[in-house]
Amino acid sequence: MTAAKKPPPPWLDLSRPMSDKPRTANCPWCRAPVLTALVGNPCGLTVRADPVPLGLAAELQARLQGRFSYCLRLHPYLPPRLIRRSPEHIAAGRCTHLVVADHQCPAGTPAVPAAQPDTSDRLF
């Protein structure tokens, strides 16, 4: 008997339409698991973030590498959101939410993304 596959956490939105709700995906270049969401008001930029929470030192290292950091806000009654950490947000002190950083592919990853499925018949 094989073990049943563990379902993803209930706070992840696995539907196709993009929103500010984080959902799991694979990086198109290195195929690593990432969180994907639209971040920012009003334009909503597509963000791919590593799903590993960062401490203060790791966030500082990521910022020094030129990567943005984000709050993964989890609330029991509201949908989760991925929100960019501005300098004011960082200066305000320790964040009570999970902090994640932009995804960075490992060295040696090809510059061309892996083949994607044909979605030309989709409207969105």
Side-chain angles (χ1 to χ4, degrees):
M1 218 156 76
T2 61
K5 189 174 180 180
K6 186 177 178 181
W11 52 266
L12 283 177
D13 178 20
L14 299 176
S15 62
R16 287 302 306 162
M18 289 295 295
S19 70
D20 62 348
K21 290 193 242 177
R23 62 183 182 92
T24 56
N26 289 330
C27 174
W29 288 273
C30 68
R31 295 292 186 208
V34 293
L35 293 175
T36 316
L38 294 176
V39 174
N41 289 332
C43 59
L45 301 172
T46 302
V47 168
R48 289 182 184 94
D50 287 323
V52 179
L54 303 177
L56 295 173
E59 181 184 12
L60 177 61
Q61 182 180 9
R63 298 288 291 199
L64 290 174
Q65 292 173 351
R67 298 162 57 193
F68 287 111
S69 57
Y70 307 93
C71 273
L72 178 58
R73 294 191 180 180
L74 302 174
H75 191 276
Y77 305 110
L78 300 172
R81 294 189 63 202
L82 199 61
I83 299 169
R84 190 175 78 84
R85 285 176 51 88
S86 64
E88 296 82 16
H89 187 168
I90 295 170
R94 187 173 179 88
C95 185
T96 58
H97 304 102
L98 297 176
V99 176
V100 295
D102 273 334
H103 172 68
Q104 186 174 18
C105 294
T109 305
V112 178
Q116 296 291 321
D118 182 25
T119 58
S120 59
D121 60 336
R122 292 186 57 201
L123 296 175
F124 300 101

PDB file of all heavy atoms in Angstrom, residues 31-63:
ATOM      1  N   ARG A  31      12.773  24.920 -12.644  1.00  0.00           N
ATOM      2  CA  ARG A  31      11.753  23.977 -12.171  1.00  0.00           C
ATOM      3  C   ARG A  31      11.720  23.824 -10.656  1.00  0.00           C
ATOM      4  O   ARG A  31      11.202  22.841 -10.133  1.00  0.00           O
ATOM      5  CB  ARG A  31      11.920  22.602 -12.818  1.00  0.00           C
ATOM      6  CG  ARG A  31      11.685  22.590 -14.295  1.00  0.00           C
ATOM      7  CD  ARG A  31      10.247  22.842 -14.545  1.00  0.00           C
ATOM      8  NE  ARG A  31       9.921  22.706 -15.962  1.00  0.00           N
ATOM      9  CZ  ARG A  31       8.944  23.340 -16.521  1.00  0.00           C
ATOM     10  NH1 ARG A  31       8.187  24.136 -15.808  1.00  0.00           N
ATOM     11  NH2 ARG A  31       8.681  23.199 -17.788  1.00  0.00           N
ATOM     12  N   ALA A  32      12.248  24.781  -9.922  1.00  0.00           N
ATOM     13  CA  ALA A  32      12.177  24.751  -8.453  1.00  0.00           C
ATOM     14  C   ALA A  32      10.785  25.211  -8.020  1.00  0.00           C
ATOM     15  O   ALA A  32      10.154  26.024  -8.701  1.00  0.00           O
ATOM     16  CB  ALA A  32      13.238  25.668  -7.862  1.00  0.00           C
ATOM     17  N   PRO A  33      10.274  24.717  -6.897  1.00  0.00           N
ATOM     18  CA  PRO A  33       8.967  25.183  -6.422  1.00  0.00           C
ATOM     19  C   PRO A  33       9.055  26.645  -5.961  1.00  0.00           C
ATOM     20  O   PRO A  33      10.012  27.025  -5.287  1.00  0.00           O
ATOM     21  CB  PRO A  33       8.640  24.254  -5.261  1.00  0.00           C
ATOM     22  CG  PRO A  33       9.934  23.664  -4.851  1.00  0.00           C
ATOM     23  CD  PRO A  33      10.836  23.692  -6.037  1.00  0.00           C
ATOM     24  N   VAL A  34       8.066  27.449  -6.354  1.00  0.00           N
ATOM     25  CA  VAL A  34       8.015  28.864  -5.988  1.00  0.00           C
ATOM     26  C   VAL A  34       6.584  29.243  -5.634  1.00  0.00           C
ATOM     27  O   VAL A  34       5.638  28.536  -5.967  1.00  0.00           O
ATOM     28  CB  VAL A  34       8.524  29.782  -7.135  1.00  0.00           C
ATOM     29  CG1 VAL A  34       9.996  29.584  -7.392  1.00  0.00           C
ATOM     30  CG2 VAL A  34       7.729  29.570  -8.408  1.00  0.00           C
ATOM     31  N   LEU A  35       6.432  30.366  -4.947  1.00  0.00           N
ATOM     32  CA  LEU A  35       5.128  30.981  -4.722  1.00  0.00           C
ATOM     33  C   LEU A  35       4.956  32.047  -5.797  1.00  0.00           C
ATOM     34  O   LEU A  35       5.864  32.843  -6.033  1.00  0.00           O
ATOM     35  CB  LEU A  35       5.062  31.640  -3.342  1.00  0.00           C
ATOM     36  CG  LEU A  35       5.119  30.713  -2.143  1.00  0.00           C
ATOM     37  CD1 LEU A  35       5.173  31.532  -0.861  1.00  0.00           C
ATOM     38  CD2 LEU A  35       3.927  29.793  -2.125  1.00  0.00           C
ATOM     39  N   THR A  36       3.809  32.075  -6.456  1.00  0.00           N
ATOM     40  CA  THR A  36       3.540  33.043  -7.510  1.00  0.00           C
ATOM     41  C   THR A  36       2.314  33.849  -7.139  1.00  0.00           C
ATOM     42  O   THR A  36       1.321  33.299  -6.673  1.00  0.00           O
ATOM     43  CB  THR A  36       3.263  32.328  -8.850  1.00  0.00           C
ATOM     44  OG1 THR A  36       4.204  31.287  -9.028  1.00  0.00           O
ATOM     45  CG2 THR A  36       3.388  33.275 -10.009  1.00  0.00           C
ATOM     46  N   ALA A  37       2.404  35.167  -7.341  1.00  0.00           N
ATOM     47  CA  ALA A  37       1.272  36.049  -7.040  1.00  0.00           C
ATOM     48  C   ALA A  37       1.477  37.381  -7.759  1.00  0.00           C
ATOM     49  O   ALA A  37       2.575  37.686  -8.218  1.00  0.00           O
ATOM     50  CB  ALA A  37       1.149  36.288  -5.545  1.00  0.00           C
ATOM     51  N   LEU A  38       0.401  38.144  -7.856  1.00  0.00           N
ATOM     52  CA  LEU A  38       0.488  39.514  -8.338  1.00  0.00           C
ATOM     53  C   LEU A  38       0.701  40.398  -7.113  1.00  0.00           C
ATOM     54  O   LEU A  38      -0.053  40.322  -6.153  1.00  0.00           O
ATOM     55  CB  LEU A  38      -0.792  39.924  -9.065  1.00  0.00           C
ATOM     56  CG  LEU A  38      -1.080  39.189 -10.369  1.00  0.00           C
ATOM     57  CD1 LEU A  38      -2.430  39.631 -10.920  1.00  0.00           C
ATOM     58  CD2 LEU A  38      -0.002  39.446 -11.380  1.00  0.00           C
ATOM     59  N   VAL A  39       1.737  41.238  -7.155  1.00  0.00           N
ATOM     60  CA  VAL A  39       2.089  42.062  -5.998  1.00  0.00           C
ATOM     61  C   VAL A  39       2.119  43.517  -6.414  1.00  0.00           C
ATOM     62  O   VAL A  39       2.658  43.860  -7.461  1.00  0.00           O
ATOM     63  CB  VAL A  39       3.460  41.645  -5.430  1.00  0.00           C
ATOM     64  CG1 VAL A  39       3.894  42.584  -4.327  1.00  0.00           C
ATOM     65  CG2 VAL A  39       3.402  40.226  -4.923  1.00  0.00           C
ATOM     66  N   GLY A  40       1.549  44.381  -5.591  1.00  0.00           N
ATOM     67  CA  GLY A  40       1.620  45.816  -5.811  1.00  0.00           C
ATOM     68  C   GLY A  40       0.306  46.404  -6.259  1.00  0.00           C
ATOM     69  O   GLY A  40      -0.459  45.780  -6.981  1.00  0.00           O
ATOM     70  N   ASN A  41       0.066  47.609  -5.808  1.00  0.00           N
ATOM     71  CA  ASN A  41      -1.123  48.358  -6.224  1.00  0.00           C
ATOM     72  C   ASN A  41      -0.653  49.536  -7.046  1.00  0.00           C
ATOM     73  O   ASN A  41       0.296  50.196  -6.682  1.00  0.00           O
ATOM     74  CB  ASN A  41      -1.901  48.867  -5.004  1.00  0.00           C
ATOM     75  CG  ASN A  41      -2.600  47.745  -4.267  1.00  0.00           C
ATOM     76  OD1 ASN A  41      -2.952  46.751  -4.862  1.00  0.00           O
ATOM     77  ND2 ASN A  41      -2.784  47.909  -2.976  1.00  0.00           N
ATOM     78  N   PRO A  42      -1.277  49.901  -8.105  1.00  0.00           N
ATOM     79  CA  PRO A  42      -2.431  49.276  -8.728  1.00  0.00           C
ATOM     80  C   PRO A  42      -2.067  48.305  -9.834  1.00  0.00           C
ATOM     81  O   PRO A  42      -2.934  47.662 -10.405  1.00  0.00           O
ATOM     82  CB  PRO A  42      -3.182  50.459  -9.314  1.00  0.00           C
ATOM     83  CG  PRO A  42      -2.103  51.390  -9.729  1.00  0.00           C
ATOM     84  CD  PRO A  42      -1.004  51.212  -8.706  1.00  0.00           C
ATOM     85  N   CYS A  43      -0.772  48.184 -10.197  1.00  0.00           N
ATOM     86  CA  CYS A  43      -0.440  47.450 -11.419  1.00  0.00           C
ATOM     87  C   CYS A  43      -0.354  45.942 -11.239  1.00  0.00           C
ATOM     88  O   CYS A  43      -0.679  45.213 -12.153  1.00  0.00           O
ATOM     89  CB  CYS A  43       0.856  47.978 -12.012  1.00  0.00           C
ATOM     90  SG  CYS A  43       2.248  47.837 -10.905  1.00  0.00           S
ATOM     91  N   GLY A  44       0.075  45.441 -10.134  1.00  0.00           N
ATOM     92  CA  GLY A  44       0.154  44.013  -9.906  1.00  0.00           C
ATOM     93  C   GLY A  44       1.212  43.338 -10.750  1.00  0.00           C
ATOM     94  O   GLY A  44       0.933  42.834 -11.825  1.00  0.00           O
ATOM     95  N   LEU A  45       2.443  43.333 -10.295  1.00  0.00           N
ATOM     96  CA  LEU A  45       3.537  42.678 -11.003  1.00  0.00           C
ATOM     97  C   LEU A  45       3.596  41.212 -10.606  1.00  0.00           C
ATOM     98  O   LEU A  45       3.416  40.868  -9.445  1.00  0.00           O
ATOM     99  CB  LEU A  45       4.864  43.362 -10.661  1.00  0.00           C
ATOM    100  CG  LEU A  45       4.939  44.840 -10.997  1.00  0.00           C
ATOM    101  CD1 LEU A  45       6.215  45.432 -10.446  1.00  0.00           C
ATOM    102  CD2 LEU A  45       4.842  45.051 -12.488  1.00  0.00           C
ATOM    103  N   THR A  46       3.863  40.352 -11.576  1.00  0.00           N
ATOM    104  CA  THR A  46       3.975  38.933 -11.288  1.00  0.00           C
ATOM    105  C   THR A  46       5.280  38.679 -10.548  1.00  0.00           C
ATOM    106  O   THR A  46       6.343  39.078 -10.989  1.00  0.00           O
ATOM    107  CB  THR A  46       3.946  38.110 -12.584  1.00  0.00           C
ATOM    108  OG1 THR A  46       2.734  38.385 -13.269  1.00  0.00           O
ATOM    109  CG2 THR A  46       4.025  36.626 -12.287  1.00  0.00           C
ATOM    110  N   VAL A  47       5.169  38.016  -9.409  1.00  0.00           N
ATOM    111  CA  VAL A  47       6.317  37.759  -8.549  1.00  0.00           C
ATOM    112  C   VAL A  47       6.462  36.269  -8.355  1.00  0.00           C
ATOM    113  O   VAL A  47       5.471  35.554  -8.183  1.00  0.00           O
ATOM    114  CB  VAL A  47       6.120  38.459  -7.182  1.00  0.00           C
ATOM    115  CG1 VAL A  47       7.131  37.995  -6.172  1.00  0.00           C
ATOM    116  CG2 VAL A  47       6.166  39.944  -7.345  1.00  0.00           C
ATOM    117  N   ARG A  48       7.708  35.797  -8.388  1.00  0.00           N
ATOM    118  CA  ARG A  48       8.025  34.419  -8.025  1.00  0.00           C
ATOM    119  C   ARG A  48       8.945  34.487  -6.810  1.00  0.00           C
ATOM    120  O   ARG A  48      10.033  35.044  -6.887  1.00  0.00           O
ATOM    121  CB  ARG A  48       8.729  33.705  -9.176  1.00  0.00           C
ATOM    122  CG  ARG A  48       7.839  33.411 -10.337  1.00  0.00           C
ATOM    123  CD  ARG A  48       8.591  32.645 -11.423  1.00  0.00           C
ATOM    124  NE  ARG A  48       7.732  32.455 -12.564  1.00  0.00           N
ATOM    125  CZ  ARG A  48       7.693  33.271 -13.605  1.00  0.00           C
ATOM    126  NH1 ARG A  48       8.482  34.322 -13.652  1.00  0.00           N
ATOM    127  NH2 ARG A  48       6.877  33.039 -14.607  1.00  0.00           N
ATOM    128  N   ALA A  49       8.488  33.938  -5.703  1.00  0.00           N
ATOM    129  CA  ALA A  49       9.247  33.996  -4.452  1.00  0.00           C
ATOM    130  C   ALA A  49       9.565  32.587  -3.973  1.00  0.00           C
ATOM    131  O   ALA A  49       8.774  31.657  -4.179  1.00  0.00           O
ATOM    132  CB  ALA A  49       8.453  34.741  -3.387  1.00  0.00           C
ATOM    133  N   ASP A  50      10.722  32.449  -3.354  1.00  0.00           N
ATOM    134  CA  ASP A  50      11.078  31.168  -2.750  1.00  0.00           C
ATOM    135  C   ASP A  50      10.154  30.906  -1.571  1.00  0.00           C
ATOM    136  O   ASP A  50       9.881  31.807  -0.781  1.00  0.00           O
ATOM    137  CB  ASP A  50      12.532  31.193  -2.275  1.00  0.00           C
ATOM    138  CG  ASP A  50      13.520  31.138  -3.430  1.00  0.00           C
ATOM    139  OD1 ASP A  50      13.242  30.425  -4.408  1.00  0.00           O
ATOM    140  OD2 ASP A  50      14.566  31.806  -3.354  1.00  0.00           O
ATOM    141  N   PRO A  51       9.649  29.683  -1.420  1.00  0.00           N
ATOM    142  CA  PRO A  51       8.687  29.400  -0.343  1.00  0.00           C
ATOM    143  C   PRO A  51       9.332  29.167   1.016  1.00  0.00           C
ATOM    144  O   PRO A  51       8.689  28.643   1.909  1.00  0.00           O
ATOM    145  CB  PRO A  51       7.978  28.144  -0.851  1.00  0.00           C
ATOM    146  CG  PRO A  51       8.977  27.463  -1.703  1.00  0.00           C
ATOM    147  CD  PRO A  51       9.804  28.545  -2.329  1.00  0.00           C
ATOM    148  N   VAL A  52      10.565  29.574   1.195  1.00  0.00           N
ATOM    149  CA  VAL A  52      11.269  29.361   2.457  1.00  0.00           C
ATOM    150  C   VAL A  52      11.245  30.651   3.279  1.00  0.00           C
ATOM    151  O   VAL A  52      11.709  31.691   2.812  1.00  0.00           O
ATOM    152  CB  VAL A  52      12.736  28.948   2.187  1.00  0.00           C
ATOM    153  CG1 VAL A  52      13.485  28.739   3.485  1.00  0.00           C
ATOM    154  CG2 VAL A  52      12.782  27.709   1.316  1.00  0.00           C
ATOM    155  N   PRO A  53      10.704  30.622   4.509  1.00  0.00           N
ATOM    156  CA  PRO A  53      10.711  31.827   5.346  1.00  0.00           C
ATOM    157  C   PRO A  53      12.141  32.242   5.699  1.00  0.00           C
ATOM    158  O   PRO A  53      13.012  31.401   5.916  1.00  0.00           O
ATOM    159  CB  PRO A  53       9.943  31.412   6.596  1.00  0.00           C
ATOM    160  CG  PRO A  53       9.222  30.171   6.238  1.00  0.00           C
ATOM    161  CD  PRO A  53       9.989  29.517   5.142  1.00  0.00           C
ATOM    162  N   LEU A  54      12.368  33.545   5.748  1.00  0.00           N
ATOM    163  CA  LEU A  54      13.695  34.085   6.022  1.00  0.00           C
ATOM    164  C   LEU A  54      13.764  34.688   7.414  1.00  0.00           C
ATOM    165  O   LEU A  54      12.795  35.264   7.898  1.00  0.00           O
ATOM    166  CB  LEU A  54      14.046  35.176   5.006  1.00  0.00           C
ATOM    167  CG  LEU A  54      14.023  34.806   3.536  1.00  0.00           C
ATOM    168  CD1 LEU A  54      14.313  36.033   2.692  1.00  0.00           C
ATOM    169  CD2 LEU A  54      15.030  33.718   3.252  1.00  0.00           C
ATOM    170  N   GLY A  55      14.930  34.620   8.012  1.00  0.00           N
ATOM    171  CA  GLY A  55      15.210  35.338   9.249  1.00  0.00           C
ATOM    172  C   GLY A  55      15.766  36.708   8.897  1.00  0.00           C
ATOM    173  O   GLY A  55      15.860  37.086   7.723  1.00  0.00           O
ATOM    174  N   LEU A  56      16.161  37.463   9.913  1.00  0.00           N
ATOM    175  CA  LEU A  56      16.672  38.810   9.682  1.00  0.00           C
ATOM    176  C   LEU A  56      17.953  38.800   8.851  1.00  0.00           C
ATOM    177  O   LEU A  56      18.101  39.584   7.908  1.00  0.00           O
ATOM    178  CB  LEU A  56      16.913  39.512  11.013  1.00  0.00           C
ATOM    179  CG  LEU A  56      15.669  39.794  11.851  1.00  0.00           C
ATOM    180  CD1 LEU A  56      16.060  40.342  13.210  1.00  0.00           C
ATOM    181  CD2 LEU A  56      14.763  40.761  11.121  1.00  0.00           C
ATOM    182  N   ALA A  57      18.895  37.928   9.181  1.00  0.00           N
ATOM    183  CA  ALA A  57      20.166  37.887   8.460  1.00  0.00           C
ATOM    184  C   ALA A  57      19.960  37.436   7.010  1.00  0.00           C
ATOM    185  O   ALA A  57      20.556  37.995   6.084  1.00  0.00           O
ATOM    186  CB  ALA A  57      21.141  36.960   9.166  1.00  0.00           C
ATOM    187  N   ALA A  58      19.115  36.438   6.799  1.00  0.00           N
ATOM    188  CA  ALA A  58      18.860  35.951   5.440  1.00  0.00           C
ATOM    189  C   ALA A  58      18.137  36.999   4.600  1.00  0.00           C
ATOM    190  O   ALA A  58      18.412  37.143   3.400  1.00  0.00           O
ATOM    191  CB  ALA A  58      18.049  34.662   5.490  1.00  0.00           C
ATOM    192  N   GLU A  59      17.225  37.763   5.212  1.00  0.00           N
ATOM    193  CA  GLU A  59      16.551  38.830   4.476  1.00  0.00           C
ATOM    194  C   GLU A  59      17.549  39.919   4.090  1.00  0.00           C
ATOM    195  O   GLU A  59      17.523  40.416   2.957  1.00  0.00           O
ATOM    196  CB  GLU A  59      15.419  39.442   5.290  1.00  0.00           C
ATOM    197  CG  GLU A  59      14.696  40.531   4.526  1.00  0.00           C
ATOM    198  CD  GLU A  59      13.627  41.242   5.329  1.00  0.00           C
ATOM    199  OE1 GLU A  59      13.569  41.060   6.557  1.00  0.00           O
ATOM    200  OE2 GLU A  59      12.853  41.992   4.718  1.00  0.00           O
ATOM    201  N   LEU A  60      18.430  40.272   5.001  1.00  0.00           N
ATOM    202  CA  LEU A  60      19.442  41.281   4.699  1.00  0.00           C
ATOM    203  C   LEU A  60      20.341  40.820   3.564  1.00  0.00           C
ATOM    204  O   LEU A  60      20.648  41.582   2.645  1.00  0.00           O
ATOM    205  CB  LEU A  60      20.278  41.590   5.952  1.00  0.00           C
ATOM    206  CG  LEU A  60      21.419  42.584   5.766  1.00  0.00           C
ATOM    207  CD1 LEU A  60      20.869  43.935   5.316  1.00  0.00           C
ATOM    208  CD2 LEU A  60      22.216  42.718   7.031  1.00  0.00           C
ATOM    209  N   GLN A  61      20.742  39.556   3.586  1.00  0.00           N
ATOM    210  CA  GLN A  61      21.584  39.013   2.524  1.00  0.00           C
ATOM    211  C   GLN A  61      20.848  39.054   1.185  1.00  0.00           C
ATOM    212  O   GLN A  61      21.416  39.430   0.165  1.00  0.00           O
ATOM    213  CB  GLN A  61      22.000  37.593   2.855  1.00  0.00           C
ATOM    214  CG  GLN A  61      22.914  36.971   1.822  1.00  0.00           C
ATOM    215  CD  GLN A  61      23.305  35.550   2.184  1.00  0.00           C
ATOM    216  OE1 GLN A  61      22.757  34.970   3.127  1.00  0.00           O
ATOM    217  NE2 GLN A  61      24.223  34.981   1.437  1.00  0.00           N
ATOM    218  N   ALA A  62      19.571  38.698   1.182  1.00  0.00           N
ATOM    219  CA  ALA A  62      18.779  38.738  -0.062  1.00  0.00           C
ATOM    220  C   ALA A  62      18.646  40.167  -0.573  1.00  0.00           C
ATOM    221  O   ALA A  62      18.772  40.419  -1.776  1.00  0.00           O
ATOM    222  CB  ALA A  62      17.405  38.125   0.175  1.00  0.00           C
ATOM    223  N   ARG A  63      18.421  41.121   0.322  1.00  0.00           N
ATOM    224  CA  ARG A  63      18.304  42.530  -0.090  1.00  0.00           C
ATOM    225  C   ARG A  63      19.625  43.043  -0.659  1.00  0.00           C
ATOM    226  O   ARG A  63      19.639  43.810  -1.616  1.00  0.00           O
ATOM    227  CB  ARG A  63      17.852  43.394   1.084  1.00  0.00           C
ATOM    228  CG  ARG A  63      16.492  43.059   1.663  1.00  0.00           C
ATOM    229  CD  ARG A  63      15.363  43.443   0.776  1.00  0.00           C
ATOM    230  NE  ARG A  63      15.254  44.889   0.689  1.00  0.00           N
ATOM    231  CZ  ARG A  63      14.180  45.527   0.295  1.00  0.00           C
ATOM    232  NH1 ARG A  63      13.112  44.858  -0.044  1.00  0.00           N
ATOM    233  NH2 ARG A  63      14.158  46.823   0.220  1.00  0.00           N
TER     234      ARG A  63
END
